[in-house]
């Protein structure tokens, strides 16, 4: 998983940061952050299925 995607997922899931905060920190739009979180979540789910 790309570092930026990982960082965004951790900020959202572990730190509880909202999308607007993450978007501001990363210099992204809110929809782009939402997409990154969805992509990372899907990647994690696929990885866990193979575990």
């Amino acid at each position: 998983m790309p570092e930026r995607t990982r960082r965004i997922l951790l900020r959202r899931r572990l730190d509880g940061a909202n999308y607007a905060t993450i978007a501001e920190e990363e210099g992204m739009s809110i929809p782009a952050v939402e997409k990154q979180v969805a992509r990372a979540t899907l990647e994690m789910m696929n990885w866990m299925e193979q575990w």
Side-chain angles (χ1 to χ4, degrees):
M1 176 179 309
E3 177 58 32
R4 184 179 197 182
T5 303
R6 179 182 174 278
R7 184 172 59 242
I8 290 169
L9 180 66
L10 291 176
R11 286 284 292 136
R12 178 72 180 143
R13 300 292 182 178
L14 296 182
D15 299 338
N18 62 40
Y19 292 118
T21 300
I22 298 168
E24 185 176 319
E25 291 171 354
E26 295 290 334
M28 303 170 69
S29 67
I30 293 172
V33 172
E34 292 171 340
K35 187 175 181 178
Q36 289 293 313
V37 171
R39 182 178 290 146
T41 302
L42 182 59
E43 190 172 329
M44 292 296 295
M45 289 172 55
N46 288 336
W47 176 78
M48 290 188 334
E49 283 179 1
Q50 298 172 13
W51 201 30

